[in-house]
Amino acid sequence: MKFVLLTIVVLVAVFYFVRQSNNKKIALENIATGKEFLATNKAQPEVIETASGLQYQVLQKGEGNTHPSAKSTVEVHYHGTLLDGTVFDSSVERNESISFPLNRVIRGWTEGVQLMVAGDKFKFFIPSRLAYGNNGAGSIAPGSLLIFEVELLAVE
């Protein structure tokens, strides 16, 4: 019985380390691809880059005058894609906006949405270090650059 238990523990450990190694390789490839994209993207005249490396493009200006803080709860509509265009999440496709505290999402969102006022619609280009880093999340591979179109509906 002890031998079987030891074998299982060893197999789980081996699986974990192999998976971590594969994730790191995938992350490094995706980070390199993301950096290449961002270098080209920031040359576009309508794209703005912040000090953190977040890039954004203003798609629509709103009428609001209040910027949310990191502690604000916001209501948004969004559409999230990977660099290849794969949709991984979209309140737009669900036809249902969502509200959440801004300090409970990825860093790229927390930073980017604070630049907006109600009615603004921005496109965010979020490097992996401001998203999920070397970890994956659902259908998002480790090291992935994320692209979001976000419309700020309200600051609550």
Side-chain angles (χ1 to χ4, degrees), residues 29-126:
E29 290 169 1
N30 285 337
I31 290 168
T33 301
K35 282 182 179 179
E36 190 175 304
F37 170 83
L38 291 169
T40 302
N41 194 52
K42 76 177 178 183
Q44 303 300 316
E46 67 278 3
V47 173
I48 301 164
E49 185 174 79
T50 68
S52 73
L54 171 71
Q55 293 180 0
Y56 68 97
Q57 177 181 6
V58 177
L59 303 176
Q60 169 186 307
K61 286 299 292 170
E63 298 291 322
N65 55 14
T66 303
H67 293 272
S69 73
K71 294 181 180 180
S72 297
T73 295
V74 296
E75 181 183 1
V76 297
H77 246 320
Y78 65 91
H79 185 75
T81 63
L82 301 174
L83 198 50
D84 68 2
T86 301
V87 177
F88 60 84
D89 194 11
S90 177
S91 71
V92 173
E93 288 183 0
R94 288 189 302 274
N95 199 28
E96 188 175 327
S97 64
I98 186 169
S99 294
F100 52 82
L102 200 48
N103 61 359
R104 301 246 174 118
V105 293
I106 60 173
R107 289 176 33 213
W109 265 72
T110 302
E111 177 184 352
V113 175
Q114 289 181 82
L115 301 170
M116 303 173 76
V117 297
D120 277 352
K121 185 173 183 180
F122 284 16
K123 188 172 196 175
F124 296 126
F125 306 91
I126 304 176

